[in-house]
Amino acid sequence: YPDVVFAWSNYFYACGPCNGPKNNKFSIVDQSSRLIDVTRPQGSPVVPPATGNAALIDPRREDPMEFMMLDLQDTFEFTCVADAGTVAWLRADYTIDILRLNQRDYLIEARRNAFGGYRARLLEYVQRRDNGASPTDLRRLREGIQRSSHPTVWSEMVRQRMHHPSLSLLFNAAPESIRF
């Protein structure tokens, strides 16, 4: 898309391990709901790309979690939420694959650790609140949760709380935590 090479909206900060695998790869979903790679090989002429919608989910304009979910039970990998073969599924699968979200062990381990940390902090919040902690102490605990790494894990815990008995108990004990 040479017409947006100098457009500020075309720039989006990403960490090296995410931006590196993406490189210059770009695909679209065409009118037939097929994934078409429109990456221009180096040295080839600059021509307008095929028309279609971007396959890669744009987090500036879309919520990636409308397309995927995080498995909090077992693998801590992202999975597509739409039915296989749909445009939404193609886009989620493409994004997960291009960014290697499930292929880097350290990401999976970080999500698993964040889950344990969030769960422990929420349990501490419930226990301290029930034992009469001051509003200042409770505020600090809330802020600790808000500043923790991997906020997607927290969002998924909130979203999936009814499907996980231990999370359901914790969030039921502190329904205010859903809005932290």
Side-chain angles (χ1 to χ4, degrees):
Y1 290 87
D3 54 320
V4 294
V5 72
F6 296 112
W8 283 111
S9 62
N10 192 39
Y11 294 93
F12 190 70
Y13 177 77
C15 68
C18 283
N19 202 37
K22 182 195 160 298
N23 198 354
N24 290 327
K25 296 178 187 126
F26 194 79
S27 291
I28 59 164
V29 178
D30 72 1
Q31 304 242 344
S32 302
S33 298
R34 291 177 307 170
L35 198 62
I36 310 269
D37 183 1
V38 294
T39 306
R40 183 177 66 86
Q42 189 169 6
S44 65
V46 176
V47 296
T51 58
N53 294 317
L56 194 65
I57 296 168
D58 182 351
R60 295 171 300 167
R61 295 183 181 94
E62 306 167 283
D63 179 359
M65 299 318 291
E66 290 180 11
F67 296 86
M68 57 185 85
M69 65 180 281
L70 184 60
D71 174 10
L72 296 176
Q73 293 272 10
D74 184 33
T75 65
F76 288 87
E77 293 181 357
F78 285 101
T79 59
C80 306
V81 295
D83 292 332
T86 63
V87 171
W89 182 89
L90 278 171
R91 295 186 68 215
D93 187 59
Y94 179 76
T95 300
I96 291 167
D97 182 53
I98 286 295
L99 299 180
R100 299 179 54 232
L101 296 177
N102 294 336
Q103 298 165 355
R104 293 181 274 163
D105 292 339
Y106 63 90
L107 284 180
I108 293 168
E109 190 60 28
R111 293 178 205 135
R112 188 183 319 277
N113 289 338
F115 177 79
Y118 279 125
R119 192 175 50 198
R121 283 190 148 171
L122 184 54
L123 178 60
E124 179 184 12
Y125 173 85
V126 169
Q127 291 171 341
R128 303 272 309 271
R129 184 203 60 204
D130 292 352
N131 288 325
S134 72
T136 301
D137 287 340
L138 294 177
R139 180 182 48 78
R140 285 187 189 130
L141 288 168
R142 284 191 306 275
E143 288 171 354
I145 288 172
Q146 292 167 344
R147 287 191 310 264
S148 293
S149 301
H150 297 279
T152 298
V153 173
W154 175 261
S155 296
E156 281 297 272
M157 290 171 67
V158 170
R159 180 166 83 162
Q160 297 179 35
R161 68 188 181 277
M162 303 311 288
H163 305 289
H164 297 266
S166 65
L167 292 180
S168 185
L169 287 172
L170 278 172
F171 282 106
N172 285 340
E176 69 274 18
S177 65
I178 294 168
R179 294 176 299 282
F180 280 2

